[in-house]
C-alpha cells in the first residue's frame, strides 16, 4: 500500500466518524508516509509523532488512530500530530492551539 491508497482508505473510514485530514495535504502525506514506515518497522502503524517501543502491547494506545485522538479533537479540534482534525479546525473556526501530550510518561519509557 502506498500513501495515496492509505489516504483514500482512511478518509473513507474516518470522515463519517467526524475526523478529517488536516487541510495541509503535504503535512498529511508526510505523516502517512511515516505511518507506513512504522508499519514496516514494527508491524503496526504507530503514531508517527511519538516514539514507539516496538512492543505492540505497550504501544497499543498509540496505534493510529491513537486512543488520544478523540479527546484531543474534542478539546483542541486536532489530534497531537495534526493529522486528524475537526471540520471547524480545517475551516479556521477555532484556534489552532498546541495539543499537549496525553500519553503517560511511564508508557514513554520514563
Amino acid at each position: 500500500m502506498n500513501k495515496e491508497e492509505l489516504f483514500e482508505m482512511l478518509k473513507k473510514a474516518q470522515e463519517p466518524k467526524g475526523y478529517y485530514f488536516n487541510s495541509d495535504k503535504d503535512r498529511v502525506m508526510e505523516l502517512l508516509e511515516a505511518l507506513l514506515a512504522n508499519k514496516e518497522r514494527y508491524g503496526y502503524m504507530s503514531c508517527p509523532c511519538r516514539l514507539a517501543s516496538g512492543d505492540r502491547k505497550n504501544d497499543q494506545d498509540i496505534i493510529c488512530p491513537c486512543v488520544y485522538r478523540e479527546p484531543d479533537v474534542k478539546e483542541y479540534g486536532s489530534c497531537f500530530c495534526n493529522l486528524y482534525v475537526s471540520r471547524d479546525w480545517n475551516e479556521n473556526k477555532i484556534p489552532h492551539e498546541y495539543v499537549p501530550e496525553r500519553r503517560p510518561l511511564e508508557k514513554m519509557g520514563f
Side-chain angles (χ1 to χ4, degrees), residues 93-107:
K93 292 181 180 174
I94 58 174
H96 294 188
E97 296 180 43
Y98 171 76
V99 179
E101 174 64 272
R102 291 181 191 265
R103 193 171 198 221
L105 287 177
E106 59 271 11
K107 286 282 223 172

Side-chain angles (χ1 to χ4, degrees), residues 2-68:
N2 64 38
K3 63 187 174 186
E4 289 80 14
E5 292 168 326
L6 183 59
F7 178 90
E8 291 304 323
M9 182 185 77
L10 293 176
K11 182 178 169 127
K12 285 180 192 167
Q14 300 304 320
E15 282 191 0
K17 298 175 187 176
Y19 298 102
Y20 300 88
F21 282 132
N22 186 329
S23 57
D24 180 348
K25 189 139 185 209
D26 290 338
R27 170 84 174 142
V28 169
M29 289 305 182
E30 287 173 9
L31 291 168
L32 294 180
E33 210 168 289
L35 280 172
L36 290 170
N38 283 347
K39 183 172 173 58
E40 191 162 312
R41 184 179 297 131
Y42 304 116
Y44 50 92
M45 290 194 294
S46 64
C47 176
C49 300
R50 294 180 169 103
L51 187 59
S53 68
D55 175 352
R56 186 183 186 102
K57 187 176 180 208
N58 185 64
D59 293 341
Q60 194 67 40
D61 62 323
I62 60 168
I63 294 175
C64 190
C66 73
V67 300
Y68 311 106

